[in-house]
Amino acid sequence: MKTKRYFWESRLHVLWICTWALWLTTSLSPELAWGQPSPNSSIVLIKAQHVYTITGEVLSPGMVLVRDGKIAAVGKDLDAADAKIVEVHSVLPGLVDAATDIGVSGGVAELTSEVTPELRIASSIDYRSFDFARAVDEGITTTHILPGTNNVFCGGSAIVKTAGQSESKRLINDFAGQVLAVCSDPVNGNSSRGRPDSIYNRQPTNRMGVIWILRSQMQKAKNSTDLKAATPQIQAIAEMFQNQRPIFSVSRTNHDLLSVITLQNEFNFRSTIIGGDESYWVLDDLAKSKMPIIYTALTTGTVVGDERTSLRWNVPGKLETAGIEFALAGGRLLEKARFAVKFGASPDRALAAITQTPAKLLGIADRVGGVAVGMDADLIGLSGDPLSFTSDCQWTMVDGQLVTGDDMTITASTSPK
């Protein structure tokens, strides 16, 4: 018994010591706390061989002065007193992922109804999710988080920084736009016959049903003469036509892309496509509609996408040639930009497709997506050319705080006060 008691007491002591060590470590080094940036100086001077501003010319060499979370100056020769100096090969704006579902806790959709435009995915975001840490490691500083596409009217999306001191500062927009599922996703699992108490005994049961629900609900919102007396669903849909909410349509197949164009013309609204797997089939129609695409289907892992769509590696290049505005999304953004260039896209458009263009499509281009005075100090440091497959992301900065950092050189400024 004495041996058994000692066995358990020794393990309790080890557990107590580990808990105490973890508390002490995170207290003394807040940068190790989950999801929290390191408490660097509010003034940082970044020196790089190349600064890819995206909003202007590439500075070679170049410097970026960061003060109080904002970009204070950009140039070839800057000086700042009491600044921490960070040296790196290349600097790029923090990457913007314009279509993702990372960090969502408790499910991405409300399954009890096929029409949930009033749903806000922002209320389901877990800011301590490890998904955000992985995004930061990839250089992603801003994300557009989408509700699930189980419903035809999916709900409101949210724009969130991947790191920050508080949830309120990380949340840029809690209702960035209304998401529509113009695809077969809402059909999956549904049946017109079966148990009456099943959530899957509902509409739609085919693609025609998806379009019917979209058209009928939009028509109700258009015909409503007293929105105050209307249901919350109709009120939320009516906001789309009053230009109060951007619209994002998840569509992948060529015939669904054409359906979005038809709905736009019929109800006089403008949408941004998310997906666009088979957009290469309908380039002329997309170009005429002036509908931008947040392209999520660029992958080297398979030639078959969601809904059994036929994928092509050279779609970004074709979109560029057709004059269609596009962004690349869905994680691993640097890798996707590199493959886009390898298969036909220009380097400038590929870099813009993961920085400035998604920021523009989300309505936040005044804050992120470029390196210019007054913008948020969201930056990444690379070991080489951003489009080189051998370049690594060495550190990520969000709102002026270095969140990650490997192999970077930091020194104290010797500039006179």
Side-chain angles (χ1 to χ4, degrees):
M1 289 295 295
K2 184 175 182 180
T3 302
K4 186 175 181 180
R5 179 181 178 184
Y6 175 77
F7 174 85
W8 288 109
E9 287 182 347
S10 63
R11 274 149 182 77
L12 289 173
H13 290 156
V14 171
L15 179 61
W16 181 86
I17 292 172
C18 289
T19 303
W20 177 83
L22 179 62
W23 174 85
L24 181 63
T25 301
T26 54
S27 297
L28 296 178
S29 302
E31 68 272 16
L32 298 179
W34 190 265
Q36 294 297 321
S38 58
N40 296 332
S41 168
S42 61
I43 305 177
V44 179
L45 182 62
I46 302 171
K47 297 181 177 180
Q49 296 180 34
H50 307 282
V51 176
Y52 295 82
T53 64
I54 306 300
T55 57
E57 64 176 339
V58 178
L59 301 179
S60 302
M63 298 184 184
V64 181
L65 179 64
V66 174
R67 180 181 287 113
D68 298 328
K70 297 287 185 178
I71 297 175
V74 182
K76 291 189 175 182
D77 188 14
L78 303 176
D79 204 358
D82 297 332
K84 282 191 175 182
I85 297 177
V86 177
E87 298 180 359
V88 71
H89 183 279
S90 297
V91 169
L92 193 69
L95 309 184
V96 180
D97 193 341
T100 183
D101 62 358
I102 67 171
V104 177
S105 176
V108 293
E110 171 56 60
L111 299 180
T112 58
S113 172
E114 63 271 15
V115 180
T116 57
E118 75 282 11
L119 173 73
R120 297 191 179 215
I121 199 63
S123 62
S124 299
I125 296 174
D126 178 8
Y127 288 87
R128 295 171 62 87
S129 170
F130 190 68
D131 291 343
F132 290 117
R134 282 196 292 263
V136 166
D137 287 341
E138 295 178 14
I140 298 172
T141 57
T142 305
T143 56
H144 181 215
I145 301 177
L146 308 175
T149 51
N150 298 89
N151 303 334
V152 180
F153 286 86
C154 309
S157 58
I159 303 175
V160 175
K161 292 285 187 81
T162 53
Q165 296 288 354
S166 65
E167 294 182 8
S168 60
K169 290 184 178 180
R170 290 175 61 179
L171 182 62
I172 297 178
N173 192 334
D174 67 345
F175 204 144
Q178 183 65 239
V179 180
L180 310 179
V182 191
C183 54
S184 68
D185 296 7
V187 175
N188 296 334
N190 294 353
S191 174
S192 58
R193 298 179 179 85
R195 292 176 53 190
D197 59 339
S198 171
I199 63 172
Y200 294 109
N201 188 29
R202 66 170 193 170
Q203 300 294 328
T205 57
N206 53 38
R207 288 180 184 271
M208 186 180 297
V210 171
I211 301 301
W212 179 83
I213 290 176
L214 284 166
R215 181 173 281 111
S216 63
Q217 294 297 313
M218 288 181 182
Q219 195 64 56
K220 287 180 181 178
K222 280 280 191 179
N223 295 339
S224 179
T225 57
D226 186 5
L227 287 178
K228 292 183 179 179
T231 65
Q233 291 81 9
I234 295 300
Q235 290 179 15
I237 296 171
E239 289 182 352
M240 300 190 319
F241 304 117
Q242 297 170 353
N243 296 322
Q244 296 182 17
R245 303 285 186 200
I247 301 173
F248 300 95
S249 300
V250 178
S251 300
R252 308 179 187 96
T253 64
N254 57 352
H255 46 271
D256 283 338
L257 293 169
L258 293 176
S259 294
V260 176
I261 295 175
T262 301
L263 287 170
Q264 281 194 156
N265 295 335
E266 183 176 348
F267 290 97
N268 192 27
F269 67 88
R270 188 171 184 268
S271 177
T272 296
I273 291 291
I274 293 178
D277 300 27
E278 295 183 344
S279 55
Y280 55 89
W281 286 112
V282 289
L283 289 173
D284 290 341
D285 298 279
L286 291 171
K288 290 178 183 177
S289 71
K290 300 183 188 278
M291 192 160 46
I293 294 179
I294 298 174
Y295 189 67
T296 61
L298 187 58
T299 175
T300 59
T302 179
V303 294
V304 179
D306 294 335
E307 300 182 85
R308 303 295 297 175
T309 48
S310 299
L311 305 184
R312 297 289 186 272
W313 290 338
N314 62 343
V315 173
K318 288 183 176 295
L319 294 174
E320 180 179 356
T321 301
I324 299 171
E325 191 173 29
F326 72 93
L328 300 174
R332 305 179 71 88
L333 299 185
L334 274 174
E335 179 181 298
K336 290 181 177 180
R338 292 163 182 170
F339 272 97
V341 172
K342 184 177 179 65
F343 290 100
S346 67
D348 289 345
R349 285 293 297 274
L351 288 179
I354 58 176
T355 53
Q356 186 179 43
T357 301
K360 176 184 175 182
L361 296 180
L362 298 177
I364 53 174
D366 60 328
R367 291 189 55 178
V368 300
V371 181
V373 175
M375 300 185 74
D376 293 356
D378 292 357
L379 305 165
I380 59 174
L382 302 169
S383 61
D385 187 317
L387 295 174
S388 170
F389 284 91
T390 60
S391 296
D392 296 323
C393 181
Q394 294 189 306
W395 51 259
T396 302
M397 174 181 284
V398 182
D399 290 330
Q401 299 291 320
L402 286 169
V403 185
T404 62
D406 298 320
D407 303 323
M408 62 182 177
T409 302
I410 301 180
T411 59
S413 174
T414 57
S415 304
K417 294 183 180 181

